[in-house]
């Protein structure tokens, strides 16, 4: 069986005031062509469908067009809500749409949602788990203490009896980490304070494939079969060197799985250029990139009157610009913001952040208990 894995569409997103709707429509058309050329059975969309919980009408129309094209392509669509989505909006009419091979899972309702697809080797079980928080699952496990994302996800998976001798695919939208592996993060992601949302991959590695959403850079998490598809477009300066793609996953008999990145090409790329304004605005330099989304660093030492106006005459899609020369002052604003943010953290949150940064994964339940006991002892003295 072949299926496509993508995530973090963020339909309706604007980047520095520039709407990405036309770019999103463009990559969706490429995905439809891949479905046809690769003859896939299903497409898995691992969360963050919209950029806002209450999307604009034009974003809803674009997603409606995309779903309609997927239905006409005769593929199963397995889709979960991410942390940017409204669970109720994603789940709307999901029971009716299953007849159209559209499986939309917006909310965790006490157990994993199971979808069975068949190929020449038999059944493949797809388990759909939308974005969850400890508080959002507490009502289903009232006798269980749920203080961490790790515990919440562990309990959610244990709500079903999974036969790991069969072929199983998990679809999830969470922040997974593995010891010794530094994840690739992007500025366009929503990063909670303290790293307390981190979940150890050891909870999910028994699945044959784990289709993840949340991180915008395509990457595996320690093992080949646990993967983030990444966003289909560049949504921040931190992503300019990333190659955006959709993952083609082929699962055959048990323990026989391959993945392949299929590139997605935007209408206009995003890039960063650096130099003096006279050089950057020359026709020789700008001719091949002038229509791109541009981040500019100016190195001129002399004053420039209205530099943005001069730059936009050549580069109409300038997103940001800044000076970098001997006269520019050091910018302490980010350091100041980080200090203010750090001062708001509790000792427990500070240590959790430190542990994640140093070890590359979240603390185990036993480690959490030890830290809490030590901090409680310190407070009582």
């Amino acid at each position: 069986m072949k299926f496509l894995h993508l995530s973090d569409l963020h339909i309706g997103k604007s980047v520095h005031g520039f709407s990405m709707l036309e770019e999103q429509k463009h990559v969706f058309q490429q995905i439809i062509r891949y479905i046809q050329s690769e003859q896939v059975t299903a497409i898995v969309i691992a969360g963050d469908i919209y950029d806002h919980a209450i999307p604009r009408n034009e974003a809803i129309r674009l997603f409606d067009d995309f779903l309609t094209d997927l239905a006409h392509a005769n593929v199963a669509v397995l889709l979960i809500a991410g942390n940017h989505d409204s669970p109720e909006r994603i789940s709307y009419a999901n029971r009716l749409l299953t007849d159209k091979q559209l499986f939309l899972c917006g909310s965790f309702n006490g157990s994993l949602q199971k979808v069975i697809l068949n190929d020449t080797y038999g059944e493949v079980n797809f388990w759909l788990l939308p974005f969850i928080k400890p508080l959002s699952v507490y009502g289903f496990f009232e006798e269980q203490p749920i203080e961490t994302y790790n515990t919440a996800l562990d309990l959610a998976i244990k709500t079903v009896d999974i036969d790991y001798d069969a072929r199983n695919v998990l679809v999830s939208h969470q922040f997974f980490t593995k010891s010794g592996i530094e994840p690739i993060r992007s500025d366009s992601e929503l990063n909670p304070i303290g790293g307390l949302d981190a979940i150890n991959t050891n909870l999910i590695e028994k699945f044959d494939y784990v289709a993840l959403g949340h991180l915008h850079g395509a990457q595996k998490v320690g093992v080949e079969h646990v993967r983030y598809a990444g966003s289909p477009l560049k949504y921040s300066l931190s992503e300019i060197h990333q190659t955006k793609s959709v993952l083609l996953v082929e699962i055959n008999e048990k323990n026989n799985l391959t993945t392949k990145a299929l590139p997605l090409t935007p209408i206009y790329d995003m890039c960063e250029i650096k130099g003096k304004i006279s050089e950057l605005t020359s026709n020789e330099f700008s001719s091949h990139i002038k229509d791109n989304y541009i981040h500019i660093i100016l190195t001129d030492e002399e004053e420039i009157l209205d530099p943005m106006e001069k730059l936009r005459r050549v580069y109409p899609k300038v997103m940001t610009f800044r000076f970098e020369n001997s006269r520019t002052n050091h910018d302490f604003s980010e350091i100041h913001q980080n200090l203010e943010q750090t001062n708001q953290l509790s000792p427990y949150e500070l240590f959790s952040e430190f542990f994640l940064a140093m070890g590359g994964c979240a603390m185990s339940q036993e480690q959490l208990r030890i830290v809490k006991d030590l901090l409680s002892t310190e407070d009582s003295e």
Side-chain angles (χ1 to χ4, degrees):
M1 177 185 296
K2 291 182 182 179
F3 63 90
L4 294 183
H5 168 204
L6 68 154
S7 70
D8 297 89
L9 310 183
H10 290 276
I11 301 174
K13 187 176 184 64
S14 291
V15 182
H16 294 285
F18 292 92
S19 171
M20 294 289 109
L21 279 172
E22 285 303 313
E23 294 285 357
Q24 290 164 340
K25 180 179 180 180
H26 182 69
V27 296
F28 293 165
Q29 291 169 347
Q30 293 174 60
I31 290 167
I32 296 298
R33 289 196 291 271
Y34 279 136
I35 287 172
Q36 297 165 343
S37 64
E38 298 293 339
Q39 298 181 320
V40 303
T41 301
I43 182 167
V44 171
I45 308 178
D48 278 358
I49 310 306
Y50 295 112
D51 194 50
H52 300 286
I54 304 177
R56 294 177 180 272
N57 290 338
E58 57 266 28
I60 296 173
R61 284 195 296 269
L62 178 56
F63 184 49
D64 181 63
D65 289 343
F66 186 38
L67 283 182
T68 301
D69 289 342
L70 290 174
H72 290 161
N74 196 30
V75 293
V77 179
L78 302 99
L79 180 152
I80 63 170
N83 57 306
H84 277 252
D85 296 313
S86 162
E88 295 76 17
R89 185 178 297 275
I90 296 300
S91 293
Y92 180 74
N94 61 341
R95 285 177 292 179
L96 292 174
L97 293 173
T98 55
D99 292 338
K100 299 292 185 181
Q101 290 287 91
L102 299 177
F103 304 95
L104 313 181
C105 183
S107 303
F108 176 76
N109 294 319
S111 66
L112 294 188
Q113 180 176 328
K114 182 181 181 181
V115 177
I116 301 175
L117 299 180
N118 291 278
D119 64 6
T120 55
Y121 296 98
E123 296 181 345
V124 179
N125 304 312
F126 288 82
W127 302 95
L128 309 186
L129 179 59
F131 177 73
I132 59 173
K133 295 181 179 180
L135 186 61
S136 64
V137 302
Y138 177 77
F140 301 104
F141 310 101
E142 292 183 358
E143 297 181 0
Q144 299 277 355
I146 306 175
E147 298 179 344
T148 68
Y149 281 79
N150 230 60
T151 302
L153 189 121
D154 187 31
L155 288 172
I157 291 176
K158 289 177 179 176
T159 57
V160 289
D161 185 17
I162 299 175
D163 177 11
Y164 287 104
D165 290 328
R167 294 176 297 165
N168 297 283
V169 176
L170 176 67
V171 186
S172 177
H173 189 98
Q174 306 285 160
F175 176 36
F176 287 94
T177 63
K178 189 173 182 64
S179 181
I181 305 295
E182 184 67 28
I184 302 169
R185 304 303 302 264
S186 299
D187 294 341
S188 56
E189 300 161 8
L190 185 60
N191 301 327
I193 295 173
L196 296 178
D197 60 334
I199 301 171
N200 288 316
T201 58
N202 58 5
L203 296 179
I204 57 173
E205 289 180 355
K206 288 193 294 184
F207 289 90
D208 293 88
Y209 184 76
V210 182
L212 297 177
H214 187 50
L215 300 189
H216 288 188
Q219 59 196 286
K220 62 182 179 181
V221 190
V223 290
E224 291 292 331
H225 67 284
V226 179
R227 287 185 173 269
Y228 285 99
S231 59
L233 291 166
K234 299 174 183 179
Y235 290 137
S236 72
L237 175 60
S238 62
E239 299 168 48
I240 62 171
H241 298 299
Q242 295 179 6
T243 299
K244 298 300 183 177
S245 61
V246 58
L247 279 170
L248 175 65
V249 183
E250 184 170 2
I251 181 169
N252 295 304
E253 68 273 20
K254 184 74 175 179
N255 300 320
N256 184 357
L257 181 142
T258 60
T259 60
K260 179 183 178 182
L262 305 177
L264 295 173
T265 305
I267 303 173
Y268 303 112
D269 201 4
M270 183 184 295
C271 61
E272 181 180 72
I273 57 177
K274 179 179 179 179
K276 293 184 177 181
I277 194 167
S278 59
E279 299 168 350
L280 301 184
T281 56
S282 67
N283 186 62
E284 182 180 4
F285 184 93
S286 65
S287 59
H288 65 293
I289 60 169
K290 63 182 180 180
D291 292 324
N292 285 359
Y293 299 101
I294 306 287
H295 298 267
I296 298 177
I297 302 172
L298 294 178
T299 59
D300 298 80
E301 293 290 343
E302 65 275 8
E303 294 288 345
I304 302 174
L305 182 63
D306 199 356
M308 182 59 91
E309 173 62 24
K310 290 181 171 64
L311 291 170
R312 283 210 165 131
R313 290 175 190 169
V314 178
Y315 303 105
K317 299 185 184 68
V318 176
M319 288 188 156
T320 63
F321 89 94
R322 63 184 175 88
F323 282 95
E324 188 176 290
N325 54 39
S326 61
R327 297 182 296 104
T328 54
N329 295 323
H330 292 290
D331 185 3
F332 293 102
S333 59
E334 183 177 349
I335 297 173
H336 181 65
Q337 290 171 3
N338 288 340
L339 285 173
E340 288 184 341
Q341 191 177 64
T342 300
N343 289 335
Q344 296 174 5
L345 300 179
S346 67
Y348 171 68
E349 290 171 328
L350 283 169
F351 188 84
S352 297
E353 178 78 356
F354 174 79
F355 187 95
L356 177 63
M358 294 297 102
C361 65
M363 287 185 284
S364 66
Q365 292 297 311
E366 180 62 16
Q367 290 167 330
L368 286 168
R369 184 189 63 77
I370 293 171
V371 171
K372 285 185 176 181
D373 288 345
L374 289 173
L375 290 174
S376 298
T377 303
E378 182 178 322
D379 290 341
S380 62
E381 293 178 353

